[in-house]
Amino acid sequence: MIFNTFPILGNLATTNDLSWIDGPQLREMINARVAQLTGNIGPNDRILICHGGTAGFVADLLAVWSTGAAAACINSSATDHEKQTLIKFVEPVAVLEQHLQAPLFIDKNRSKKNGQSLSLDHPALYLFTSGTTGNPKGVEHSFRSLLARFTLNQAYMKLPKSIKTLCPLPTHFGHGLIGNLLTPLLSGRDVILLDDKSPMGLAKLGEIIDANEIGFLSSVPSFWKMATRLSKPPVSGSLKRVHVGSAPLSTELWEAIANWCGTDQVFNMYGITETANWIGGTSLAEGRKADGRIGEVWGGSAMVLDPETGERSLTGSGELLVQTPSLMNGYFKQPELTDAVLKDGWFHTGDIGTIEEDGDIRITGRQKSEINRAGMKILPEEIDLLLERHEDIQEVCVFGLPDAISGERVAVACVLKDGVEPNLEILHNWLQGLIRREAIPESWFILDEIPKTDRGKINRDNVRKKCLEIGEFK
């Protein structure tokens, strides 16, 4: 098995308790949990892990993998109702509530499992992207896809052996777990897990980076919007590499992050849960900055699908298709969803973009968020990035609303900077010189905060619902 000995493990700590757990200690924690699981679980079994963000979580995850079973990692703040929904859907053999608690075996009369053959193609990890309150959507990865992703990440990133990583992201989704935590840890690099992710915690980010000589971290654009506003920048110069991903990144925020971090090695990353985290990225240091630019694929291939002709091509514009050795097995228990996105060996990402002659890729929007206004296709992501360049605007989210005449109209939720009074006439006039008339928002909603998922992402459906509850600004 690929994850049964862990010969190279970095040291692990949290910002609340900086007493380091070294590789041998972590291995002891893993072995203790393995002893509780051995004989009861094996390949093709599923274990639900209900906690995260600690050394105990890492030990439990690696212990599950050591037995050849698969881990289903969920949000540690999930309600009892959400847990029961997931238990019913996942049908786990056991549930791990906390590291120091004994496993809860669902079927105590289940026959013992010993000596089963192990395979790289067995399921290893389930990550849930939606539906924990109803119909869960779980991405299934094999040991093979995870091994490919770790190997490719390490090869392309080339992190120095002495570098320390800060993981400010939740550990129940791919960006935080696979990219920011396990990629460095399983190659012997030290990792510190950020405990306090609140605004008060982010206000100390610069101090944390300096105090711990952090050299690498990764997060989402919404994290950096808050961090660059609330925290003083680090002054030690320890940061050597920074990743930003999971949502569109404007060139303005890209540069602001680089200025705050004190390095131009700030990478706009592209990756999705279905590809086990990052599959491409590019830095400001390369000198080709543009909204949505992600560079070339890391160890894979990309094409675009023309929406009109249905033809695939290596260059041009359309839906981005990718092939990568880190591709998921499929969506757990949802073959129809799997068949809709995995076709002829290509994964249909649902992202709209362009590929240049040299293989350089730029993401411009999402298919499912596209607004159809009387036949005119409008990508809300493009308007998001444009509006956030206005000096009075802190954050926005553009979405479509039903319209009796045009089918859909453009709406926007807007968070203004502190002390700014809303003036729609000024914003309308500013937009008129920058985008076509039909793309200018007709409906405006002024919010104190854009609602986000537990992954720090913006869900346009959730924002739309929130805006309709509070009413349009007049």
Side-chain angles (χ1 to χ4, degrees):
M1 199 58 212
I2 59 168
F3 294 136
N4 62 348
T5 57
F6 310 104
I8 305 175
L9 282 174
N11 302 320
L12 196 58
T14 64
T15 51
N16 274 356
D17 181 9
L18 285 172
S19 55
W20 287 91
I21 294 175
D22 63 25
Q25 289 174 307
L26 185 57
R27 197 169 286 108
E28 287 180 11
M29 295 168 65
I30 295 168
N31 292 338
R33 180 63 96 185
V34 168
Q36 295 176 329
L37 298 173
T38 298
N40 294 290
I41 68 171
N44 291 311
D45 286 336
R46 295 175 293 279
I47 309 300
L48 196 69
I49 302 180
C50 301
H51 61 106
T54 66
F57 162 78
V58 175
D60 279 355
L61 174 63
L62 299 187
V64 170
W65 285 347
S66 295
T67 67
C73 302
I74 69 171
N75 191 339
S76 58
S77 62
T79 64
D80 289 339
H81 172 72
E82 288 175 310
K83 287 181 185 177
Q84 291 306 313
T85 298
L86 288 166
I87 288 173
K88 183 178 180 180
F89 180 72
V90 174
E91 299 180 284
V93 173
V95 176
L96 305 180
E97 286 282 358
Q98 294 294 335
H99 175 66
L100 295 178
Q101 292 182 12
L104 173 63
F105 291 102
I106 303 300
D107 182 2
K108 294 185 172 66
N109 297 318
R110 187 170 181 266
S111 59
K112 299 290 185 180
K113 300 187 77 169
N114 291 299
Q116 286 198 331
S117 62
L118 304 173
S119 168
L120 286 173
D121 296 312
H122 280 149
L125 183 66
Y126 294 92
L127 298 172
F128 294 92
T129 59
S130 65
T132 55
T133 58
N135 185 28
K137 184 180 179 183
V139 173
E140 179 185 290
H141 277 286
S142 67
F143 288 103
R144 187 183 300 277
S145 66
L146 294 179
L147 177 61
R149 189 71 270 145
F150 293 138
T151 303
L152 287 167
N153 282 354
Q154 292 159 6
Y156 277 86
M157 291 168 64
K158 297 182 175 65
L159 293 177
K161 289 186 177 180
S162 60
I163 202 166
K164 290 181 183 176
T165 291
L166 178 68
C167 180
L169 292 166
T171 54
H172 62 275
F173 79 116
H175 188 164
L177 176 62
I178 298 170
N180 204 174
L181 170 57
L182 294 180
T183 289
L185 187 71
L186 295 181
S187 63
R189 277 65 174 177
D190 295 345
V191 178
I192 299 177
L193 297 161
L194 180 67
D195 287 289
D196 188 356
K197 300 174 179 63
S198 70
M200 290 185 64
L202 292 188
K204 302 175 183 177
L205 182 64
E207 298 175 27
I208 292 170
I209 290 170
D210 284 339
N212 297 284
E213 299 180 313
I214 299 299
F216 168 65
L217 77 156
S218 184
S219 197
V220 297
S222 59
F223 169 94
W224 284 110
K225 288 175 185 176
M226 293 184 64
T228 54
R229 182 164 55 94
L230 298 176
S231 173
K232 292 181 180 179
V235 296
S236 65
S238 64
L239 277 175
K240 305 303 180 187
R241 187 182 184 106
V242 175
H243 285 187
V244 189
S246 297
L249 178 66
S250 69
T251 54
E252 285 76 13
L253 181 57
W254 201 350
E255 291 176 327
I257 296 169
N259 290 334
W260 189 92
C261 293
T263 177
D264 59 2
Q265 293 295 323
V266 176
F267 288 73
N268 184 24
M269 302 300 299
Y270 180 67
I272 39 187
T273 307
E274 290 85 346
T275 62
N277 182 232
W278 307 313
I279 55 171
T282 189
S283 73
L284 277 179
E286 295 180 27
R288 296 176 62 185
K289 64 181 180 182
D291 291 346
R293 181 174 175 263
I294 59 165
E296 299 180 14
V297 176
W298 286 7
S301 303
M303 299 185 78
V304 286
L305 180 69
D306 189 299
E308 302 296 331
T309 66
E311 294 181 356
R312 295 193 295 250
S313 59
L314 292 172
T315 61
S317 299
E319 181 188 5
L320 185 66
L321 314 181
V322 296
Q323 284 187 340
T324 172
S326 64
L327 190 59
M328 67 173 181
N329 288 344
Y331 298 114
F332 183 57
K333 291 185 177 180
Q334 299 195 57
E336 298 85 2
L337 279 180
T338 302
D339 291 343
V341 297
L342 293 179
K343 301 176 182 179
D344 300 324
W346 291 93
F347 175 63
H348 292 236
T349 67
D351 289 317
I352 305 299
T354 61
I355 303 179
E356 303 295 338
E357 294 288 343
D358 61 357
D360 197 72
I361 302 171
R362 180 170 174 252
I363 304 297
T364 55
R366 286 283 295 168
Q367 262 188 342
K368 68 178 183 179
S369 61
E370 193 174 61
I371 300 168
N372 188 340
R373 183 173 181 178
M376 302 291 292
K377 303 298 174 60
I378 299 166
L379 293 175
E381 293 84 355
E382 291 184 317
I383 309 174
D384 287 347
L385 297 176
L386 178 61
L387 278 169
E388 288 182 357
R389 293 191 174 106
H390 194 279
E391 60 183 6
D392 293 340
I393 291 177
Q394 180 66 39
E395 190 173 25
V396 300
C397 174
V398 174
F399 54 91
L401 285 177
D403 187 87
I405 297 174
S406 61
E408 280 188 295
R409 67 181 185 274
V410 182
V412 59
C414 184
V415 177
L416 299 173
K417 291 183 177 177
D418 294 340
V420 174
E421 292 295 324
N423 189 320
L424 298 190
E425 183 179 358
I426 290 176
L427 293 172
H428 267 284
N429 291 339
W430 181 76
L431 283 170
Q432 283 176 353
L434 298 172
I435 57 174
R436 59 196 187 279
R437 181 176 58 83
E438 60 269 14
I440 295 176
E442 292 182 61
S443 299
W444 292 73
F445 300 85
I446 306 301
L447 305 182
D448 294 328
E449 181 181 9
I450 301 291
K452 298 177 180 68
T453 69
D454 57 8
R455 296 165 173 79
K457 292 186 177 184
I458 293 175
N459 181 305
R460 295 182 196 274
D461 291 335
N462 293 344
V463 176
R464 181 188 297 108
K465 181 179 178 181
K466 174 73 172 179
C467 289
L468 293 176
E469 288 174 356
I470 66 171
E472 188 174 340
F473 181 81
K474 301 292 185 181

